[in-house]
Amino acid sequence: MINRNIVNNNKSYENNINDINNNISNSNNSNNNIKKEKEKELLKKVRQYSILNLEIKKLMSELNIDENILNAYINVSNALMEPNKLLYKKLYCSGIEIYYGEYKDIRKNIKWFPKINYDNCNNCYKCIDFCPKGVYDIEYINKSKKVIVKYPFNCIINCNACSYICCENNAIIFPENKISKIEYKKEKR
């Protein structure tokens, strides 16, 4: 009888341990989901900041705001560009899951990003310096530094500005057609 009780207690103990491990796993999954949502929210805010920042600089220029004020604002904006790039890179796995309502899909399903034609690329690194979302990086390939598209889905949908600042050799290639936004019908009231 003692042996049966020991076996039953061991099974009960194992079941309790399994229950505890499942609860921890579920809790970790829940915490990971919460963290992922917060990361996506942070990236959305950084995106909003970037858009707002461009609009502010444009308006300041149009209004002929004092050049010293405009330059100071530009300097502050540029100082924040590098930390923002680092955030986009660090939180890449969350960023590709962001839903874009205007395209009715998450970012990783929207196929807009650059490719590099290495026959034309002279590794000027202008694209790395220019891109506000850190799409490009440097990697050693065959013992030489090469520009690569490391974070393709960080690319701003329908943006191809980096291809214009590229080394005059047309090394950066984008899809031929822009991605269409989904038109929302306005409801009559």
Side-chain angles (χ1 to χ4, degrees):
M1 186 160 234
I2 294 174
N3 286 340
R4 184 183 287 163
N5 284 339
I6 291 172
V7 170
N8 287 338
N9 285 339
N10 281 341
K11 284 185 179 181
S12 177
Y13 175 77
E14 288 173 14
N15 288 338
N16 286 340
I17 293 296
N18 286 337
D19 288 345
I20 290 169
N21 285 334
N22 286 336
N23 288 339
I24 290 171
S25 178
N26 290 338
S27 175
N28 286 340
N29 287 340
S30 177
N31 289 340
N32 286 339
N33 289 339
I34 291 168
K35 181 180 179 199
K36 196 112 166 140
E37 288 305 311
K38 285 184 178 184
E39 289 173 351
K40 290 194 293 190
E41 189 61 31
L42 173 61
L43 291 174
K44 288 177 188 177
K45 297 292 184 194
V46 170
R47 178 177 178 231
Q48 290 169 347
Y49 162 79
S50 298
I51 292 168
L52 183 61
N53 191 31
L54 289 171
E55 292 171 356
I56 290 169
K57 287 189 278 189
K58 180 181 176 189
L59 284 170
M60 289 174 83
S61 293
E62 289 174 0
L63 293 170
N64 294 319
I65 298 295
D66 182 275
E67 192 172 323
N68 291 329
I69 297 171
L70 177 60
N71 287 337
Y73 189 84
I74 289 170
N75 289 337
V76 168
S77 300
N78 289 342
L80 288 174
M81 185 187 280
E82 284 308 309
N84 287 347
K85 281 185 187 183
L86 293 173
L87 281 172
Y88 279 115
K89 290 176 182 182
K90 180 179 175 90
L91 304 178
Y92 184 71
C93 290
S94 293
I96 65 175
E97 299 292 335
I98 292 175
Y99 182 78
Y100 285 76
E102 63 270 37
Y103 301 102
K104 293 208 177 206
D105 213 338
I106 58 173
R107 182 61 183 98
K108 71 179 178 184
N109 294 334
I110 303 169
K111 306 299 181 198
W112 181 269
F113 49 82
K115 294 181 181 175
I116 298 173
N117 178 338
Y118 287 103
D119 292 335
N120 294 347
C121 180
N122 66 11
N123 286 314
C124 67
Y125 308 131
K126 289 179 183 176
C127 54
I128 292 173
D129 295 334
F130 176 79
C131 181
K133 293 188 75 181
V135 170
Y136 302 96
D137 212 339
I138 298 171
E139 196 169 278
Y140 284 91
I141 301 172
N142 297 328
K143 296 184 181 181
S144 63
K145 287 176 22 174
K146 295 259 186 200
V147 174
I148 62 165
V149 178
K150 188 166 184 176
Y151 304 97
F153 294 108
N154 278 354
C155 187
I156 299 167
I157 300 166
N158 292 330
C159 178
N160 60 358
C162 58
S163 67
Y164 293 104
I165 62 98
C166 182
C167 61
E168 301 168 8
N169 294 332
N170 297 320
I172 299 175
I173 303 161
F174 280 91
E176 216 169 285
N177 297 315
K178 300 254 180 176
I179 306 293
S180 297
K181 291 184 179 182
I182 307 298
E183 296 294 323
Y184 292 100
K185 294 180 182 178
K186 293 182 181 176
E187 294 181 26
K188 293 181 181 178
R189 292 188 180 214

